[in-house]
Amino acid sequence: METHRTLKTLLLLRHAQALDGSSHMADHDRPLSHRGRLQAEAVARYLERQGLKPHLILASAAERARATARAVAGAGDDVTELWSLYGAGPAVMVEVLRELPGDAACVLVVAHNPGLEELVQQLTGQRVGLSPATLIRVSLPLERWRDLASGSRGRLEEAWRADAI
């Protein structure tokens, strides 16, 4: 059996719990709830305990995703906010990832369902439900992000939910 050396790690994080939508607030403006802030902090602690340090952090431009990414990033880490990730499906996410510099070994994407669940299934062949603040780690046998394609096959290494703590 041939083994592949895993060269890239993709972390996918569904944003933490947001306040319920209301008629006076646009969906993309919904902030994190108190529980969501605690979930995002728990994800940050988990990543630190696991020694998972993303080289790049990409977030949907929706307030709840940006706030989750900022909480996870911590001091000194930049978060790149992209409107293209707001409500994006797997094809858009793959295109965003293909544009990343090749030297970024570990990338975190903070975005939304159903796009994240669909991307996990597309890359790993496994269905995983992503409740708020669920973190997925996928290993990809890629040398460069530009080699990622919709048919790329990665390995689902773990699924972790902040509420599981």
Side-chain angles (χ1 to χ4, degrees), residues 34-101:
H34 175 70
R35 180 178 179 189
R37 289 189 300 276
L38 294 176
Q39 289 173 329
E41 292 167 5
V43 172
R45 288 190 304 273
Y46 179 78
L47 289 172
E48 186 175 330
R49 282 194 313 270
Q50 297 300 312
L52 291 169
K53 177 75 171 144
H55 297 103
L56 292 172
I57 300 173
L58 309 176
S60 157
E63 175 55 32
R64 59 195 179 274
R66 294 182 324 186
T68 300
R70 286 190 304 263
V72 169
D77 289 332
D78 289 332
V79 174
T80 301
E81 300 168 4
L82 301 170
W83 275 105
S84 60
L85 291 176
Y86 178 63
V92 170
M93 289 187 220
V94 166
E95 285 307 310
V96 166
L97 291 166
R98 286 175 50 83
E99 298 296 320
L100 297 178

Side-chain angles (χ1 to χ4, degrees), residues 16-20 25-33 37 63-64 67:
Q17 185 176 6
L19 292 177
D20 288 334
M25 184 183 309
D27 179 69
H28 67 274
D29 291 334
R30 292 190 306 135
L32 292 180
S33 65
R37 289 189 300 276
E63 175 55 32
R64 59 195 179 274

